[in-house]
Amino acid sequence: MSSVFRILLRRLGISVIVLIGVSMLIFAIARVIPGDPARIALGPNATAEQVAAIRTEMHLDEPIVAQYGHFVTDVLRGDLGTSLYTNRPVTQDIVEFLPATLELVIFAGLLMVALGLPLGILAARHRARWPDHVVRVLTLLTVSAPSFVWAVILMLVFAFYLPLFPVAGRIDDSYEIARVTGFLTVDTLIAGRFDAFLDVLHHLVLPAVALALSGIGQAARLTRANMVETYDKPYIEMAQAYGFAPGRIARRYAFKPSLIPSLTIIGLDFAAMLGNAFLVEAVFAWPGLSRYGVAVILRKDLNAIMGTVLVIALTFLIINIIVDLLIAFLNPRIRHSTRAAT
Amino acid sequence: MTDLLDIRGLTLGFRGLNGYTEVLHGIDLSIARGERVALVGESGSGKSVTARIILGLLQETRTARVAGRVNFDGRDISSMRARPRAALRGTDMSMIFQDPTSSLNPTFTIGRQFAEVMRRREAGLSQKACEARATAMLEEVSIPDPARVLSAYPFQLSGGMNQRVMIAMALVNNPKLLLADEPGTALDVSVQAQTLTLMQDLVARHNTAVLLISHNLGVVREFADRVYVIYRGRIVETGPTAAIFDRPGHAYTRALMAAVPRITGAGLPEVPEVSDDFLAPMVTHPEAT
């Protein structure tokens, strides 16, 4: 187990370097965007003295390296500045909007894994027979349209023509749930309101499916392709020669070695959902960080943009670390070779 | 007592895009209990597919057409359904493959794979019992540190070690028949010789019948009681090992023997690729009594 710990440490070290790079990039972008941040902050009617005063306050009169230094120390203190859009600290905005997005993305990710992997296993086990053909056609369909198209289609079909699901929002307005974590699925359970919990799930279905569909297709196709390759390996023939049932061979002997190469891409798909969530949240009026991100970009709200990008980058890194640990857990070759490598 | 394995008139064909192609044209082969029989031939002659038919693997391929009788332990496998046939695999018959390292699953420990195999025989076997029996079995194949091997993954062991593991695994359920398909061809010659000796001792001790599939005449001569020579889907010569090696009766058998380069060196032997003589009728040597 200590070798897994070693992998974790190394990945964390790399992540710190990536984060430093991201912070520099964000900082640089913020400075090259046309327009004086001080002017934008104060609005068109400000006097020259007011502008000069805020320039000093925002350290805009200092050299660029010093400005970056201030930026980094502020970020490390959890201070991302004030948003012009909401007039509140950006940190506070993120704390408010991030849980909604994470809830959506996590549910979509669960759907991707819970549906994509079994579909891939099914197709590979019955390769070149009808279950395989059905899965391949369906998944080709899901990967060939972006998630916002699916969002509109699903909304039209299952919320408008067949009103099975709510059109928008996270929860019915009639419920009053005290905010604890910001994750409504968790908060409703903390409040002991099971009816509200079900209502939250009901609201989650369409956006999560829309967000997950292409990922489900991708995961299924990837799993199938890797498993079909694994089926040609001698150890599968050996498992057959020992009379293990075909289902058991598929789930245990062929799936596990095949999952290792798929996992990196599934992890990336999971992280990419954060980006796709921008559009799905817009369609379903989901009050999440992505919608906030769109709003602040349109208003050139620099502090809020930087904060949003930083949080998304951080989430990407965390997902990648989790994927790497999972791979190390699944692949004994990696788990046991780090000792020699480090 | 009847033979353990009795194959009569076995044919195999594949349905493909160009119609039906027959690859086995009526094979007769039998193995008595505890007997060691070799099936010798060049690659593509049909020796490996024969083993896969005995295991019942090819019958489950959609394009394969198998006909003829395969009697195993008094039961006709060829007419059996897939499920009872699968029940025989890993219990009453087991198989050893060419390349031991790639035949063991890379993501499970040896111990785990051992346990799975043992639970084919006794479904409810406890972890402890599995470990104990696997340890005993590994000791039988002269593995010095069974506990370490059981907790290791195949890639952490040498090819020779994995070969021993595979032999142990194949015999742990006390099968009546062991199919060995070119065992250890992927290994060094010296390691191959060691494992062969080991296998010989073990099957003698467990009274396991063996069908050894090989193209290596040296291996066959040392190992087998009886030999079948197969050429292009037909048995061309059969008889006790000594008789065949002393007086090879069929042109193909003679060519096969001539094809082995001598260790004393006399240049590469010249063997005709095809000859009408190779299609001559089967030569049967009388059983030594």
Side-chain angles (χ1 to χ4, degrees):
Chain A
M1 268 300 131
S2 73
S3 50
V4 172
F5 186 65
R6 221 174 289 243
I7 291 173
L8 181 65
L9 276 185
R10 203 168 48 190
R11 290 298 315 184
L12 283 176
I14 294 171
S15 302
V16 168
I17 296 170
V18 171
L19 268 183
I20 291 171
V22 168
S23 72
M24 284 179 172
L25 201 67
I26 296 172
F27 180 76
I29 289 171
R31 299 300 128 151
V32 298
I33 285 179
D36 183 350
R39 274 246 170 255
I40 297 171
L42 288 173
N45 299 325
T47 64
E49 290 83 52
Q50 282 175 312
V51 172
I54 201 121
R55 282 184 73 84
T56 323
E57 195 195 313
M58 291 169 82
H59 309 292
L60 289 173
D61 51 350
E62 292 175 36
I64 195 109
V65 178
Q67 286 185 36
Y68 177 70
H70 286 300
F71 169 66
V72 170
T73 42
D74 283 350
V75 167
L76 287 180
R77 281 204 313 260
D79 178 7
L80 292 167
T82 309
S83 162
L84 304 176
Y85 167 47
T86 57
N87 259 323
R88 292 191 308 185
V90 172
T91 322
Q92 199 184 327
D93 284 346
I94 288 172
V95 168
E96 180 173 339
F97 293 120
L98 183 63
T101 295
L102 281 186
E103 191 165 50
L104 178 62
V105 169
I106 288 171
F107 266 79
L110 287 179
L111 278 178
M112 173 169 84
V113 171
L115 294 177
L117 299 186
L119 280 177
I121 295 175
L122 182 80
R125 186 186 150 186
H126 302 284
R127 59 205 171 281
R129 297 182 190 218
W130 68 264
D132 186 23
H133 300 314
V134 170
V135 168
R136 284 163 78 183
V137 170
L138 283 181
T139 54
L140 188 64
L141 205 71
T142 64
V143 295
S144 46
S147 50
F148 69 90
V149 173
W150 287 118
V152 173
I153 294 174
L154 289 177
M155 186 191 231
L156 272 178
V157 175
F158 295 107
F160 187 72
Y161 295 123
L162 301 167
L164 297 172
F165 294 97
V167 178
R170 294 178 74 193
I171 187 167
D172 199 278
D173 289 338
S174 59
Y175 292 106
E176 299 245 345
I177 301 296
R179 186 186 168 96
V180 184
T181 60
F183 291 85
L184 282 180
T185 42
V186 179
D187 287 353
T188 49
L189 288 179
I190 289 175
R193 296 286 301 274
F194 196 67
D195 51 339
F197 173 75
L198 289 180
D199 186 62
V200 170
L201 287 186
H202 197 207
H203 278 80
L204 256 174
V205 171
L206 286 188
V209 169
L211 193 54
L213 267 181
S214 68
I216 293 172
Q218 175 95 307
R221 294 179 76 80
L222 210 60
T223 305
R224 180 198 173 272
N226 283 324
M227 272 182 76
V228 165
E229 205 174 297
T230 305
Y231 263 107
D232 282 336
K233 295 273 166 68
Y235 54 81
I236 297 298
E237 193 183 20
M238 167 127 164
Q240 285 163 342
Y242 274 95
F244 296 118
R248 189 178 176 80
I249 290 176
R251 285 188 308 271
R252 270 179 78 84
Y253 290 79
F255 175 62
K256 195 177 169 192
S258 313
L259 183 61
I260 295 162
S262 323
L263 212 55
T264 313
I265 295 175
I266 291 173
L268 285 179
D269 275 352
F270 190 89
M273 282 182 182
L274 272 175
N276 289 330
F278 271 72
L279 297 157
V280 173
E281 287 188 7
V283 173
F284 285 99
W286 194 264
L289 187 68
S290 304
R291 224 161 64 110
Y292 174 77
V294 173
V296 295
I297 287 171
L298 293 178
R299 283 172 180 76
K300 245 192 197 171
D301 183 347
L302 279 185
N303 286 339
I305 294 172
M306 284 156 75
T308 310
V309 173
L310 204 61
V311 166
I312 289 181
L314 198 64
T315 319
F316 246 90
L317 287 174
I318 292 171
I319 290 173
N320 267 317
I321 290 176
I322 293 173
V323 166
D324 279 350
L325 287 180
L326 272 178
I327 289 176
F329 177 72
L330 283 174
N331 190 349
R333 215 178 273 264
I334 291 181
R335 209 182 323 140
H336 289 271
S337 67
T338 44
R339 198 157 302 162
T342 46
Chain B
M1 195 152 66
T2 55
D3 283 337
L4 176 68
L5 180 76
D6 189 38
I7 300 176
R8 290 286 155 234
L10 179 68
T11 62
L12 164 72
F14 289 99
R15 242 185 13 182
L17 290 174
N18 309 318
Y20 182 79
T21 321
E22 198 174 79
V23 294
L24 291 180
H25 316 284
I27 300 259
D28 295 337
L29 186 152
S30 65
I31 302 176
R33 283 165 206 280
E35 192 185 24
R36 295 193 298 249
V37 171
L39 186 58
V40 193
E42 61 194 20
S43 45
S45 58
K47 43 192 204 308
S48 288
V49 286
T50 306
R52 279 157 184 77
I53 290 174
I54 297 169
L55 273 175
L57 290 179
L58 265 178
Q59 286 90 325
E60 282 159 29
T61 318
R62 262 191 313 170
T63 49
R65 294 284 170 276
V66 181
R69 283 173 61 86
V70 181
N71 267 347
F72 175 75
D73 204 14
R75 294 203 281 169
D76 186 3
I77 316 184
S78 49
S79 62
M80 241 184 223
R81 289 184 168 279
R83 204 174 272 270
R85 199 164 47 208
L88 292 174
R89 298 206 284 272
T91 54
D92 281 347
M93 47 173 114
S94 61
M95 184 149 172
I96 295 177
F97 290 88
Q98 259 189 39
D99 182 358
T101 305
S102 59
S103 297
L104 294 165
N105 197 300
T107 55
F108 296 112
T109 59
I110 303 289
R112 190 93 172 258
Q113 302 190 45
F114 243 109
E116 296 253 315
V117 168
M118 280 184 271
R119 286 183 182 134
R120 292 277 305 130
R121 184 68 104 183
E122 278 172 64
L125 211 58
S126 74
Q127 192 62 41
K128 237 193 187 97
C130 283
E131 241 163 69
R133 208 187 294 174
T135 306
M137 203 63 213
L138 288 179
E139 273 163 359
E140 251 195 280
V141 293
S142 324
I143 283 181
D145 189 358
R148 186 186 69 86
V149 169
L150 282 179
S151 63
Y153 289 89
F155 66 87
Q156 294 172 311
L157 303 175
S158 68
M161 203 64 122
N162 279 328
Q163 177 76 316
R164 284 162 196 255
V165 167
M166 201 150 67
I167 294 171
M169 223 178 253
L171 292 174
V172 72
N173 282 342
N174 270 317
K176 292 171 179 147
L177 176 65
L178 176 68
L179 300 155
D181 188 1
E182 310 258 7
T185 311
L187 301 175
D188 293 351
V189 190
S190 53
V191 179
Q192 199 182 341
Q194 284 168 16
T195 49
L196 215 70
T197 319
L198 198 76
M199 202 165 90
Q200 199 159 15
D201 291 350
L202 236 68
V203 294
R205 215 178 309 153
H206 289 246
N207 196 30
T208 313
V210 181
L211 179 64
L212 175 75
I213 290 163
S214 183
H215 61 264
N216 186 333
L217 289 169
V219 166
V220 168
R221 187 170 198 164
E222 296 309 319
F223 189 82
D225 305 322
R226 226 151 36 81
V227 176
Y228 288 89
V229 182
I230 187 170
Y231 176 67
R232 293 204 167 183
R234 280 189 184 82
I235 302 286
V236 293
E237 184 159 2
T238 172
T241 310
I244 285 199
F245 278 89
D246 288 348
R247 293 165 268 112
H250 196 277
Y252 177 70
T253 314
R254 284 198 293 271
L256 205 59
M257 287 178 183
V260 182
R262 307 288 147 188
I263 204 161
T264 46
L268 282 173
E270 261 181 55
V271 184
E273 218 166 278
V274 205
S275 156
D276 289 343
D277 297 345
F278 290 179
L279 300 171
M282 180 163 90
V283 177
T284 311
H285 296 265
E287 296 285 332
T289 40

